[in-house]
Amino acid sequence: MKGLKKFISLLLALILVFSLAACGGSTEPAAEPAGETGSEAQGTDWPKKTIQIAVPYNAGGDTDIYCRLAAERLSEKLGETVVVVNIAGSGGILAAKQIMNEDPDGYNLLFSHTGGLIQEASGMADFSYTESFAYGGTLVEDNTYTMVAKAESGWKNLGDVVAAAKAAPGTVTYSQVNGQVTHFVSKLFEETAGIELDKIDVGSSAADRTAAFLGGQVDLLVVNYANVADYIEAGQFVALGILAPERVESLPEVPTFVEQGYDVVAAKRYSYKFPNGTDQAIIDKFTTTLKEIAEDPEFAAELAKFHAAPYYKDPETTEKDEAAEVELLKVVMGDVFK
């Protein structure tokens, strides 16, 4: 147990560092040539046709929403249509493999979040998210992963859930996507609370899992707050705890797991990946455009509606940070996911 607590503390520290970096300012890209700004600084005539961005989940969830918000601005700045294509399956692996096999011509990208790193660290993915792609940079962070229950359950906080789970081990059901953030959360929650949940995979997208939760297939759902905000405000769902390191400024009434005595933290950062072999000039032009979008106050205002925020990191920093997170997750999972 000492080893587990140590590694959990390391993981919490890593996530906190990433979160503080987001609050403290964006990572600066390489300096642009003198006299040139924005996409004019890049020596390529890309794009010359429609760009497709694959979202590895069905429409309606957080990844899909953030991708579409950014796609509108990418279209405006790049001067070509940018379309979002939903390719759901295998918790994101299907879309990732499809993009890996596309021509590296800059017209097919993957937009995904850091949940995929858990698949890599646990061995569920037979490829590496950090090595099998050319990074395009990070754009968004959502720190509002929240556990909810139905109001009819009578549960008001995490302590109520723990009491119910201890009274009848294995009977409290939980919506889990194997190898994704929900899997990570359930394992750490079980370990820190000393309980056993009945984990059920009811779908990989937030929309599908929310529908299953509404239909009574599971008792507990962990999802980005924006996906269930209307239900919480209507009194149908109860926000039991948020997985941020500290209370989220726009959601001050929702307590964290940590303050309730359960050291479980999970943030989601959303980034772009190109097929390996993509021309560096294309990536540079895309990255410059991405930074412009991240600095756009109107984009920040759109994200704020979902309690998310711009979180720009250049490709090199994104790759370095995600590789470090994978290695730490491997250590944690070696002790937790047995």
Side-chain angles (χ1 to χ4, degrees):
M1 182 60 74
K2 281 187 176 180
L4 172 61
K5 289 182 177 179
K6 178 181 178 181
F7 291 133
I8 289 175
S9 297
L10 287 171
L11 183 61
L12 293 174
L14 178 61
I15 293 173
L16 183 58
V17 167
F18 290 157
S19 298
L20 290 176
C23 296
S26 301
T27 301
E28 293 296 330
E32 296 173 349
E36 296 181 291
T37 60
S39 59
E40 296 175 359
Q42 312 304 331
T44 177
D45 61 356
W46 174 90
K48 296 188 290 185
K49 63 179 183 180
T50 297
I51 299 169
Q52 292 192 113
I53 301 181
V55 169
Y57 310 103
N58 291 327
D62 47 280
T63 310
D64 179 71
I65 290 170
Y66 301 149
C67 187
R68 292 180 188 278
L69 288 175
E72 294 177 10
R73 289 159 177 81
L74 285 168
S75 295
E76 294 171 0
K77 291 180 176 294
L78 293 174
E80 291 288 349
T81 302
V82 177
V83 299
V84 177
V85 181
N86 298 91
I87 307 174
S90 302
I93 291 177
L94 183 64
K97 283 191 169 183
Q98 181 165 321
I99 296 302
M100 284 169 54
N101 293 321
E102 293 285 355
D103 290 334
D105 56 9
Y107 293 101
N108 289 280
L109 293 79
L110 177 70
F111 182 78
S112 59
H113 59 68
T114 42
L117 302 180
I118 297 173
Q119 294 175 326
E120 178 176 346
S122 65
M124 291 192 67
D126 59 356
F127 59 89
S128 169
Y129 280 93
T130 55
E131 297 178 3
S132 301
F133 296 91
Y135 276 84
T138 302
L139 182 61
V140 178
E141 181 181 57
D142 190 316
N143 217 20
T144 68
Y145 232 37
T146 305
M147 179 176 283
V148 298
K150 288 185 179 178
E152 62 196 52
S153 70
W155 298 333
K156 303 297 184 183
N157 51 49
L158 296 175
D160 292 339
V161 174
V162 171
K166 286 184 175 180
T171 61
V172 175
T173 54
Y174 169 91
S175 172
Q176 175 170 294
V177 183
N178 294 326
Q180 278 286 352
V181 182
T182 51
H183 192 166
F184 173 74
V185 169
S186 71
K187 286 298 182 181
L188 287 188
F189 186 38
E190 286 179 323
E191 289 288 340
T192 58
I195 60 174
E196 178 186 348
L197 301 172
D198 180 11
K199 284 85 67 179
I200 303 174
D201 192 337
V202 295
S204 61
S205 74
D208 290 344
R209 295 194 301 113
T210 302
F213 180 65
L214 280 166
Q217 295 183 46
V218 288
D219 300 317
L220 296 172
L221 175 70
V222 171
V223 70
N224 294 64
Y225 188 92
N227 289 299
V228 291
D230 291 343
Y231 298 103
I232 294 173
E233 292 169 7
Q236 292 178 259
F237 295 177
V238 176
L240 302 170
I242 199 164
L243 288 149
E246 55 189 26
R247 292 204 184 196
V248 175
E249 185 176 350
S250 61
L251 299 168
E253 73 283 0
V254 184
T256 67
F257 271 59
V258 174
E259 70 183 80
Q260 294 182 72
Y262 309 102
D263 289 334
V264 191
V265 174
K268 291 167 74 174
R269 293 169 296 281
Y270 304 76
S271 63
Y272 294 87
K273 294 178 173 65
F274 290 84
N276 267 338
T278 301
D279 190 330
Q280 187 61 45
I282 292 175
I283 295 175
D284 289 346
K285 184 173 183 178
F286 179 84
T287 300
T288 299
T289 306
L290 211 62
K291 186 173 186 293
E292 292 172 358
I293 293 172
E295 294 174 343
D296 181 356
E298 292 185 4
F299 181 63
E302 287 295 318
L303 291 179
K305 296 176 182 178
F306 303 95
H307 307 285
Y311 180 67
Y312 173 78
K313 287 195 295 186
D314 63 41
E316 294 78 11
T317 305
T318 300
E319 181 176 6
K320 179 181 177 181
D321 287 352
E322 291 195 358
E325 189 166 352
V326 167
E327 291 307 309
L328 185 55
L329 284 166
K330 285 180 180 178
V331 175
V332 175
M333 289 181 179
D335 200 49
V336 177
F337 278 72
K338 292 180 180 179

